[in-house]
Amino acid sequence: MTIRVPRDDVADAALLADFTTLSAIGATPAGGVERQAATDADGQTRAWLGSWLTERGFAVRQDQVGNLFGLLELAPGRPYVLAGSHLDSQPRGGRFDGAYGVLAAAHAADRLRRHHRRTGRTPRYNVAVVDWFNEEGSRFKPSMMGSAVFTGAMPLDTALATTDVAGVTVATALRAIDGQGTGHVLDAGRDVAAYAEIHIEQGRELDKAGNTLGLVDSTWAANKYEMSVIGSQAHTGATAMADRQDALYGAALVVVALRELADRYGTDLHTSCGQLTVHPNSPVVVAREVHLHLDLRSPSDDLLAEADEVLRTRLAEIEVQADVSIQRRFSHTWKGQHYHPEGVALAAAVADDLGIGHQRVRTRAGHDSTNLKDVVPTVMLFVPSVEGISHAEAEYTTDEDLCTGVDVLTEVLARLADGALDATA
């Protein structure tokens, strides 16, 4: 297929200028951003995006869980091809994670709008840009919340009632930033023809290989748990060591057990404790309770299940060793899955037509496309992360790779809008 939306140097300059503007909202001194979901900074970012889209003729709408859509009607009465990612960040996170994907989608859609205005040609489908609410899951758990509600993987009421550590609900937080709409904007099963997302890789494979584009063909499996270690509050000086039921000691053993589990299985298992809350968290009190958030990921469903059982056995041993009780529950889990092969082939064809080096990659991280691929044909793309750094202020992707990614996404959107993946629906 002939490339119909050629590279535009002026548009590249505009992309980089807009990215600089976007990165200034919630900026941290070391070059990152802090824009956790439904905070003031997140609200400011969403407002900026809404204004940007409105100025270019998009109809901006928000749904009940805070997903923000920019609707571009190119083929009246027809479904939409969606493209986007998320604007929220981790605490002291990187400025590229998520935000690049939203801005890339906005610029790609606008380039497509200008192209069709110049040519007078009407595509098969309309185009929409989306900022998915609370992809990161740092303030409100679980992650990928907005896209989960959109695709029916999570009930709306469950999402809205979710609280942060201060007890603020999603519904309350969204209202505080004027981020909650009414009703549905789009129906995932009826109004969406396909979805495309571009994201920084957050790993080293592209950087090491010297390729510009990653074609995501599958996901790692993941088990994420919330866990409580229950002990008994006591005096740190007066209570004999043998009499202590130290919840923090038990939690520390759990953290060590997680790392030992990863060492046991090598590169095919990633484990972490990303959040730990201690009660009462006093310097002179033996902890009575500790809440942990654990994460196990693997490319193999079978290995993940085996590692989970090994961890279960070790937790029982820790209960005896530390004289505590451990309450474990799943918070969020998904099996390893494949993206639509037709979508991968489409992205490869675009990269070949544009002369861009590419390779297939498997995503270890969760993305909103993980939810979308279960309901609509989906294309997921990566651009390189220098040294694989992510969820940190040192996160970096070169300007050239950012611009090339938009070139690819624009052409992918153009072909999706012409129905390139209709046979997979």
Side-chain angles (χ1 to χ4, degrees):
M1 177 183 287
T2 302
I3 304 302
R4 300 172 316 169
V5 188
R7 186 161 193 168
D8 185 332
D9 290 340
V10 174
D12 284 353
L15 169 75
L16 297 176
D18 283 340
F19 187 70
T20 298
T21 299
L22 188 62
S23 300
I25 303 174
T28 62
V33 294
E34 173 117 16
R35 299 193 299 246
Q36 295 189 66
T39 58
D40 288 344
D42 186 32
Q44 292 169 30
T45 312
R46 290 158 59 93
W48 179 88
L49 175 66
S51 296
W52 191 99
L53 293 167
T54 299
E55 289 169 3
R56 289 157 180 80
F58 293 76
V60 176
R61 303 285 186 271
Q62 296 178 127
D63 67 12
Q64 289 174 286
V65 78
N67 297 319
L68 187 151
F69 298 88
L71 308 177
L72 181 63
E73 193 172 64
L74 301 173
R78 298 292 298 170
Y80 286 81
V81 172
L82 274 179
S85 190
H86 61 95
L87 293 175
D88 69 311
S89 81
Q90 290 289 335
R92 291 178 61 178
R95 65 188 189 274
F96 298 86
D97 178 6
Y100 165 66
V102 176
L103 191 61
H107 274 260
D110 190 54
R111 286 173 61 175
L112 200 57
R113 176 188 65 83
R114 290 185 280 114
H115 171 76
H116 284 292
R117 185 177 61 188
R118 286 194 304 267
T119 63
R121 187 174 173 278
T122 300
R124 180 173 177 80
Y125 296 117
N126 299 300
V127 175
V129 177
V130 59
D131 164 34
W132 299 111
F133 174 69
N134 188 39
E135 191 275 349
E136 291 292 1
S138 57
R139 182 181 180 189
F140 301 104
K141 296 186 288 290
S143 57
M144 303 181 291
M145 181 179 284
S147 58
V149 171
F150 182 78
T151 58
M154 173 183 286
L156 172 63
D157 290 347
T158 299
L160 294 179
T162 300
T163 59
D164 64 11
V165 294
V168 179
T169 66
V170 165
T172 299
L174 282 172
R175 287 194 294 268
I177 63 165
D178 195 24
Q180 186 177 31
T182 58
H184 295 288
V185 176
L186 296 174
D187 182 274
R190 183 184 65 247
D191 300 328
V192 181
Y195 177 69
E197 181 170 349
I198 194 166
H199 204 281
I200 60 169
E201 183 191 3
Q202 303 177 289
R204 291 173 175 255
E205 291 184 40
L206 294 175
D207 195 34
K208 288 191 298 184
N211 281 322
T212 303
L213 191 70
L215 315 178
V216 181
D217 60 7
S218 58
T219 70
W220 274 34
N223 286 349
K224 297 185 176 185
Y225 324 116
E226 291 182 14
M227 180 179 295
S228 296
V229 180
I230 310 297
S232 181
Q233 188 165 320
H235 194 297
T236 57
T239 306
M241 296 300 294
D243 294 337
R244 299 186 188 195
Q245 295 175 284
D246 188 342
L248 184 54
Y249 171 51
L253 292 174
V254 172
V255 174
V256 172
L258 280 171
R259 182 53 185 259
E260 290 175 344
L261 196 61
D263 292 342
R264 172 174 175 170
Y265 287 98
T267 58
D268 284 337
L269 183 70
H270 289 184
T271 66
S272 67
C273 173
Q275 187 176 56
L276 189 149
T277 307
V278 181
H279 300 283
N281 204 29
S282 168
V284 290
V285 176
V286 174
R288 68 174 182 270
E289 189 168 348
V290 178
H291 301 296
L292 305 91
H293 193 276
L294 311 184
D295 192 322
L296 278 71
R297 305 187 192 216
S298 174
S300 167
D301 292 339
D302 291 341
L303 188 151
L304 188 63
E306 180 182 328
D308 189 83
E309 189 57 37
V310 173
L311 178 61
R312 186 184 301 273
T313 299
R314 179 64 185 128
L315 292 178
E317 295 169 348
I318 291 171
E319 287 184 305
V320 175
Q321 183 177 351
D323 194 16
V324 296
S325 64
I326 298 176
Q327 300 171 354
R328 190 184 80 159
R329 53 198 176 276
F330 278 113
S331 173
H332 197 195
T333 181
W334 63 84
K335 292 185 178 296
Q337 298 179 15
H338 290 274
Y339 283 78
H340 302 89
E342 298 87 353
V344 177
L346 169 66
V350 168
D352 287 338
D353 289 345
L354 291 172
I356 295 168
H358 59 86
Q359 67 189 73
R360 293 192 176 206
V361 293
R362 192 169 192 176
T363 178
R364 298 180 178 93
H367 299 284
D368 292 303
S369 66
T370 307
N371 287 324
L372 269 292
K373 70 176 173 46
D374 293 338
V375 296
V376 296
T378 294
V379 177
M380 183 72 191
L381 306 169
F382 282 162
V383 291
S385 294
V386 174
E387 296 184 3
I389 297 171
S390 187
H391 282 188
E393 293 167 299
E395 186 179 84
Y396 184 68
T397 296
T398 67
D399 289 353
E400 178 66 21
D401 287 341
L402 296 178
C403 293
T404 300
V406 176
D407 293 341
V408 175
L409 183 63
T410 302
E411 182 60 22
V412 166
L413 273 185
R415 299 187 189 189
L416 291 177
D418 275 351
L421 294 186
D422 281 2
T424 67

